[in-house]
Amino acid sequence: MKLYYMILFRLGVGLLLLIAVSAVLFLGIEALPGDTAQAILGKSATPESLASLRDKLGLGEPAVIRYFHWLGGMLTGDLGKSLVTGMEIGPTLLPRLANTLFLAASAAVIAVPLALSLGIVAARFVNRWPDKLISAITLTTISLPEFVAAYFVIFLLTQVFPIFQPVAMVFPGMSVLERFQAILLPVIVLVASVLAHMMRMTRAAILNVMQSAYIETAELKGLSPSRIIWRHALPNAVAPIISVASISLAYLVVGVVVVEVVFGYNAMGQYLVDNVAKRDLPVVQATGLIFASIYIGLNIFADVVSLFANPRLRHPK
């Protein structure tokens, strides 16, 4: 199968998966108990006002018709209107999406190089104290739930060592450096949550390559272990490393909900939780579909990069 056919196939599968996710998301929210109109107007609403609001929101139409109407709007960039405020969702949502992407990108800029470095060091000193120490620390951080790690970081760096503020507040007009300083605590938590995956994949990929015959040849030539890893092992282990890094980046974007809520960060996760409490279904649906699109898109990116980086995937036996 030619390369562009394989890429188109993955794009097609990703599109079908996204449509399936949209259907599950819409029907799952539709199946929630309670009356949307009643939740908006409150318990004191009259039957006439409830009927009028249901008619205005189109709640009397079949769920299938409402789903395709909503999906068509999403495909054309119309995210709909908030049931609570009556405002367009897009102008409110996009700045929060930018904040989420900035938080995830800041964590990725630190996590990816750090994970690669630690993985290389662990592979270089395999089964020795640096390897055991790095593995112990990273496995400890990944074993903690995100909210536990977040509260631990808050206690440590705002109470024991009062260096930072416990709330990550960002405002329009802040410089990039000021934004980064404001979100440093949630960045630390996110880095700790994804570091172990990338580090251990880097270590495993390098150690797998180190068993190859050409590595043994390089050792017989008298090359140092560090030179063998950098010049021979790492370039040939890059495909699985890129794949797990891309998946970890997808997790960074989608997994920020808990971290944003704990730190009061004004972004997509906090926006989603607030509107779930208000039962603002169009906002919840739009936010959920955007999270799903980013996650699926980054996984497709990981597949495509793996195709380019690994010839065995392009030419399977």
Side-chain angles (χ1 to χ4, degrees), residues 229-292:
I229 289 176
W230 281 103
R231 291 289 300 274
H232 300 283
L234 184 60
N236 289 283
V238 71
I241 294 173
I242 292 176
S243 179
V244 75
S246 300
I247 295 174
S248 297
L249 295 182
Y251 173 79
L252 280 177
V253 176
V254 179
V256 296
V257 175
V258 173
V259 174
E260 288 179 3
V261 172
V262 171
F263 288 98
Y265 184 58
N266 187 25
M268 288 270 289
Q270 182 70 59
Y271 188 57
L272 175 63
V273 172
D274 289 344
N275 285 280
V276 167
K278 298 175 183 176
R279 199 180 171 82
D280 199 339
L281 302 187
V283 175
V284 175
Q285 290 169 339
T287 307
L289 191 60
I290 289 174
F291 273 133

Side-chain angles (χ1 to χ4, degrees), residues 289-301:
L289 191 60
I290 289 174
F291 273 133
S293 301
I294 294 173
Y295 189 83
I296 293 172
L298 286 174
N299 276 273
I300 293 174
F301 173 77

Side-chain angles (χ1 to χ4, degrees), residues 205-206 209-210 212 214-219 221 223-238:
I206 292 176
V209 173
M210 293 290 286
S212 303
Y214 64 88
I215 297 295
E216 184 177 353
T217 302
E219 292 173 345
K221 289 182 178 180
L223 296 180
S224 65
S226 299
R227 186 177 180 85
I228 291 173
I229 289 176
W230 281 103
R231 291 289 300 274
H232 300 283
L234 184 60
N236 289 283
V238 71

Side-chain angles (χ1 to χ4, degrees), residues 175-190:
S175 67
V176 175
L177 181 59
E178 289 173 336
R179 283 176 175 268
F180 183 76
Q181 290 175 340
I183 66 171
L184 193 53
L185 287 185
V187 164
I188 292 173
V189 176
L190 289 175

Side-chain angles (χ1 to χ4, degrees), residues 102-157:
F102 180 75
L103 175 60
S106 300
V109 167
I110 297 174
V112 173
L114 182 59
L116 292 177
S117 302
L118 292 177
I120 292 170
V121 172
R124 169 66 179 83
F125 300 99
V126 61
N127 295 327
R128 294 162 63 181
W129 73 263
D131 178 28
K132 294 179 180 179
L133 178 62
I134 292 172
S135 297
I137 293 175
T138 53
L139 287 176
T140 300
T141 59
I142 199 175
S143 299
L144 291 175
E146 289 182 352
F147 70 93
V148 174
Y151 285 120
F152 175 76
V153 169
I154 290 174
F155 176 74
L156 182 65
L157 297 180

Side-chain angles (χ1 to χ4, degrees), residues 12 19 44 70 101 140 179 200 225 232 255 264 296 313 316:
I19 293 174
S44 60
W70 169 73
L101 294 178
T140 300
R179 283 176 175 268
R200 293 189 68 82
H232 300 283
I296 293 172
L313 296 177

